[in-house]
Amino acid sequence: MEVFVTGGTGEIGSAVVKRLVQDGARVIGLARSDASSAKLRASGASAYPGDLRAPESWVSRAASCDAVIHLGATFSEDMGRVDRQSMLALKQASRHRKQPLKIVYTGGIWLFPATTGDSLLTEKTQFAPLPAFRFMTETIRTLSHGTDLNLTVIHPALACGQTTGPIAEMTAALKEGRPFETRATSQTKWALVEINDLAALYALALKNARFRMSLIASCIPGISVGHLASHISARHGLPLEIMTVPAPEATEPLTDWAAGFALSQSVDVSHAQRATGWQPEHSTIEDLVVSLSK
């Protein structure tokens, strides 16, 4: 399988590229710089020069592949516009294919509302996105319309790796002897997923024959920030203080990409596993903390 990947040099994207290469796929990564090209080649992928902001430079090549995994984002004021334009251009470039193009689009847990009590988010829960990510719901609707694309949308929970995500950041704060500053309170619940487990789900989604699919990618349904901090404290034998901080003054909601940390969410993790056969290796908080808080 020939797979075109945007965002293949980011934390999640690098794990996805590595997994696809291990599975025998021919991976082509969109590269905006020489450094990105070198990183992709070092991981066993090839690099295709282009920029998300200039979709005409790469969508034809992407549409000629068996599948596209979209993980790229600018995280700038034009992020929503760039995302919509690039995906619309890809959809248009795919119109004359004999078979619909398989595309795996990355949404996110923050497209869904907060939960309370024992309620759980599922793939059928109606979107209630944070303002900064509202564009994703519009893009998903656009990609879902018609038969040009075979769409799977993956909504990652908070992704945790060795150097990124809540566990790594909490561990760094603990080791530096400072409080962990967050928009959350100790009672806020976070759904979590380990990055390599997440990459495995992307690989499985490519192989799934269903024409339309939505998957929430979470290994940990929801753990309170205070409980997570206590696990990390126990692991290292040091106390970790949680400090809740407000949004910076004059924060613009459309670019407030950290607002989701204040969302308390618990999810039903079963659908992705049933639909794809996904079996995360880090399925308990103990697994995650032991693996990542080093």
Side-chain angles (χ1 to χ4, degrees):
M1 178 179 284
E2 189 174 62
V3 185
F4 194 95
V5 179
T6 70
T9 58
E11 293 291 341
I12 296 174
S14 295
V16 170
V17 167
K18 179 181 178 181
R19 180 58 184 249
L20 295 178
V21 170
Q22 289 175 343
D23 286 355
R26 182 187 176 197
V27 181
I28 302 168
L30 181 65
R32 193 178 62 172
S33 66
D34 291 341
S36 294
S37 296
K39 187 172 182 178
L40 286 164
R41 294 190 181 103
S43 67
S46 59
Y48 193 85
D51 192 318
L52 281 177
R53 291 188 172 89
E56 68 278 2
S57 67
W58 57 270
V59 292
S60 293
R61 182 65 184 96
S64 71
C65 294
D66 298 303
V68 175
I69 294 180
H70 181 48
L71 288 154
T74 65
F75 283 99
S76 57
E77 291 185 359
D78 64 355
M79 182 165 69
R81 179 179 59 81
V82 170
D83 190 77
R84 290 192 298 271
Q85 289 182 348
S86 61
M87 291 299 97
L88 180 58
L90 180 60
K91 183 178 175 69
Q92 292 173 336
S94 306
R95 285 183 301 176
H96 303 297
R97 287 174 53 98
K98 293 181 180 180
Q99 298 292 331
L101 176 66
K102 178 79 170 183
I103 179 167
V104 182
Y105 180 84
T106 304
I109 195 73
W110 294 344
L111 299 187
F112 296 92
T115 57
T116 58
D118 295 329
S119 63
L120 298 174
L121 297 174
T122 74
E123 287 77 1
K124 295 181 179 180
T125 301
Q126 187 173 355
F127 287 144
L130 293 173
F133 300 100
R134 189 177 296 127
F135 71 87
M136 289 183 174
T137 63
E138 299 169 3
T139 302
I140 290 168
R141 281 194 293 269
T142 298
L143 296 178
S144 299
H145 181 70
T147 58
D148 300 320
L149 302 174
N150 180 357
L151 177 67
T152 293
V153 181
I154 293 181
H155 299 286
L158 303 190
C160 299
Q162 293 288 346
T163 60
T164 188
I167 293 176
E169 292 170 5
M170 286 175 136
T171 302
L174 180 145
K175 289 183 175 180
E176 293 168 14
R178 56 179 173 83
F180 174 66
E181 297 185 2
T182 176
R183 299 276 192 90
T185 69
S186 293
Q187 290 73 44
T188 302
K189 288 186 177 180
W190 286 342
L192 308 175
V193 64
E194 196 271 336
I195 280 182
N196 293 304
D197 284 330
L198 178 57
L201 181 59
Y202 275 87
L204 287 168
L206 286 182
K207 302 171 185 177
N208 194 285
R210 291 179 59 180
F211 189 73
R212 290 280 187 268
M213 190 162 55
S214 176
L215 305 169
I216 295 179
S218 179
C219 302
I220 307 301
I223 182 171
S224 72
V225 175
H227 192 191
L228 178 58
S230 69
H231 276 274
I232 294 172
S233 295
R235 170 73 173 162
H236 294 279
L238 296 169
L240 175 61
E241 178 187 353
I242 303 299
M243 179 180 292
T244 302
V245 296
E249 291 186 12
T251 298
E252 168 56 51
L254 291 178
T255 55
D256 188 5
W257 299 302
F261 290 109
L263 277 180
S264 189
Q265 296 176 309
S266 296
V267 307
D268 181 347
V269 302
S270 64
H271 175 70
Q273 297 179 28
R274 290 196 310 268
T276 66
W278 184 42
Q279 296 181 328
E281 293 184 7
H282 304 82
S283 58
T284 70
I285 194 61
E286 289 80 8
D287 291 338
L288 269 178
V289 170
V290 169
S291 177
L292 300 180
S293 62
K294 297 179 179 180

